[in-house]
Amino acid sequence: RFETAIRPLRDAGKLGAVHFQFPPWVKPAPRVFEHMEDCAKRLAGYKLALEFRHTSWFDAEHREATFAFLRQHALVHTVADEPQGFANSVPALWEVTNPDLAVIRLHGRNSSMWGTPGATVEERFDYMYTDAELAEIGEDAERLAEQVRQIHVIFNNNHRDQGHKNASTLMRWLRLRQ
């Protein structure tokens, strides 16, 4: 049913990727890798972008296996920018796992609310990136864009109009660099 629901978007050229965000309690395990393979098989013909929310996916023990699996199955690694130092924080690793697409998801850097139990979405993602932070992200995004056919940048700092304003600033910064 899910595939049937998204097919019109794909057929109209309006669907860049199907994004799977794995919650913080999902850690690397054989059954999880099997689940990802199953998702890829069920959605053959779609680009799948995966975002992991537990730091263990990218620790010294699992990082190479995680990226190797994503590359082997042509799955897109989602680069996440977010506060660091929490179990549900992953480092922003600017890795390409599919030459067709890179996805960057900007959650903001509100470390005071990131790991707060009971924090609302509005509180957790209440963050306005500074121009300097956006310039840094823009430089990393440019390097990533040199390795892929297309890049998607998604602002998830969704308090009021922060995401819109930050996206406009980043777009202006990128145009000035051309």
Side-chain angles (χ1 to χ4, degrees):
R1 280 192 247 172
F2 178 75
E3 191 280 329
T4 300
I6 63 173
R7 189 179 313 146
L9 292 170
R10 183 198 61 192
D11 293 347
K14 303 282 185 188
L15 182 65
V18 179
H19 183 259
F20 287 86
Q21 181 182 14
F22 289 88
W25 55 86
V26 176
K27 300 175 185 176
R31 65 178 173 70
V32 179
F33 285 100
E34 290 168 10
H35 175 68
M36 290 186 287
E37 276 186 85
D38 186 53
C39 289
K41 286 177 188 168
R42 289 174 184 255
L43 293 171
Y46 290 85
K47 286 187 189 82
L48 274 57
L50 279 63
E51 180 177 358
F52 300 106
R53 305 300 310 143
H54 194 276
T55 190
S56 63
W57 287 95
F58 302 113
D59 65 16
E61 181 182 349
H62 299 101
R63 180 185 296 189
E64 290 307 314
T66 298
F67 285 131
F69 180 85
L70 294 176
R71 286 185 181 101
Q72 177 186 354
H73 296 282
L75 301 168
V76 177
H77 161 64
T78 300
V79 178
D81 183 80
E82 59 198 32
Q84 295 299 297
F86 302 92
N88 64 336
S89 297
V90 295
L93 299 172
W94 299 81
E95 289 281 333
V96 170
T97 57
N98 182 321
D100 290 331
L101 179 65
V103 175
I104 303 168
R105 195 148 182 242
L106 305 172
H107 294 289
R109 298 177 180 177
N110 186 352
S111 59
S112 67
M113 295 305 289
W114 188 257
T116 303
T120 66
V121 170
E122 184 177 70
E123 292 169 329
R124 191 170 169 204
F125 299 111
D126 179 6
Y127 188 81
M128 187 72 163
Y129 283 94
T130 67
D131 289 355
E133 290 169 332
L134 291 172
E136 176 188 323
I137 290 165
E139 289 173 1
D140 289 331
E142 283 181 325
R143 283 191 291 278
L144 201 62
E146 292 172 359
Q147 303 172 56
V148 294
R149 289 181 190 82
Q150 191 174 44
I151 188 166
H152 295 180
V153 180
I154 304 163
F155 281 86
N156 192 43
N157 55 332
N158 53 20
H159 180 71
R160 297 189 180 151
D161 60 355
Q162 293 168 335
H164 298 296
K165 286 182 176 178
N166 281 160
S168 295
T169 300
L170 181 61
M171 287 170 47
R172 275 193 309 278
W173 185 88
L174 290 168
R175 279 192 209 112
L176 290 173
R177 307 253 311 160
Q178 293 179 357

